[in-house]
Amino acid sequence: MAVICVGQSVYDIVIPYDTALVENQKYRVTRRLECGGGPALNAAYLCAVWGEQTYLVSRIGEDDYGKKIKRILLEAGVHLEYLVERDNIETPYSIILSNSDNGSRTIFNFPGEVQDKHYEYPALDVDVILSDGHLPKLSIQAIRRYPAALSVLDAGTCRESTMEVAPHVDYIVCSEDFARQYTGKAVDLEKPELCREIFGQIKEINKRHAVITLGEKGLLYEADGELKHLPAYPAKAVDTSGAGDIFHGAFAFGLAKNLPLLSILKLSSMASSISVESLGGQTSIPALDLVEDKLKERER
Ligand SMILES: OC[C@H]1O[C@H](O)[C@H](O)[C@@H]1O
């Protein structure tokens, strides 16, 4: 059984800072972190180090960043048979300025050239397909190829490619930014009727399941036909980059393990909260044991 993550692989260069930035100033950098990045890579890395048989369907160039990405993924045990390398494309990379005072980050993303071409998927027993919306054709093809698998869309922003995949998935797990861009309304937890309206509009896209993540305000989900709010676990954020990807990776993992939805959401939420307390996305993925221990502590 396996998890397939389809989408973007990125090489991240994270620079932490703790001062108010002013234009036309030069800042001396004493620390930087280089690691794997991109929503599909981060999620695939998590699923693999948490013990799932994981395949990454993505595209990188045959350049230095591509080689580094491959090394990181191989060490994690991600299956790379479907990670396509091309000598004529540049591996995507991001420069991330991370404010250690509050964890907020500014990402400059060089997307490289995305090639979303037809693909022969292998004969596998697949439990879960996670798409980050970057390779819509490959994502839809995977969903059709493995009809028994549960499919999840990591809907970070409401791009055309994300919307192409959205009607095909079992679960749309979207950010509040996506919800605002799509519905034109901002989630306000003080206004339950408005929340129900926004959630209903998101669910209409795929006519199945939806989750709206709200960062430090938690998330909205549905149980027994009712909209519910799950608060976030408290964290001292130093870098939120990749926190959403870690949420989605843990969500895919939980589905693969056949856990009930609320347990999946708690697992994902805790993994994401722990991750913001250290630098980087892929480098801040917590061990499964740690996440489970912290959850047990909270339930005591
Ligand atoms: O979702 C965050 C990730 O995507 C961005 O492009 C960065 O690479 C980071 O790892």
Side-chain angles (χ1 to χ4, degrees), residues 8 10-12 36-39 42 94 96 105 107 109 241-242 245 281:
Q8 207 186 28
V10 178
Y11 192 70
D12 282 354
N42 286 333
S94 290
I96 302 177
R105 81 284 189 269
I107 301 180
N109 177 246
S241 52
D245 310 337

Side-chain angles (χ1 to χ4, degrees), residues 1 8 13 15 20 91 130 145 165 172 180 195 232 254 259 297:
M1 300 301 271
Q8 207 186 28
I13 300 166
I15 300 171
T91 298
L130 172 68
R145 170 75 178 81
V165 186
I172 295 178
R180 195 189 54 248
C195 292
L259 299 178
E297 248 171 57

Side-chain angles (χ1 to χ4, degrees), residues 70-102:
K70 269 186 78 179
R71 210 173 308 135
I72 290 165
L73 290 167
L74 281 171
E75 276 169 20
V78 178
H79 291 263
L80 299 186
E81 292 90 322
Y82 312 105
L83 176 71
V84 175
E85 290 169 83
R86 290 274 179 272
D87 59 7
N88 58 345
I89 64 169
E90 193 183 17
T91 298
Y93 66 99
S94 290
I95 295 178
I96 302 177
L97 304 185
S98 168
N99 182 342
S100 340
D101 277 345
N102 59 15

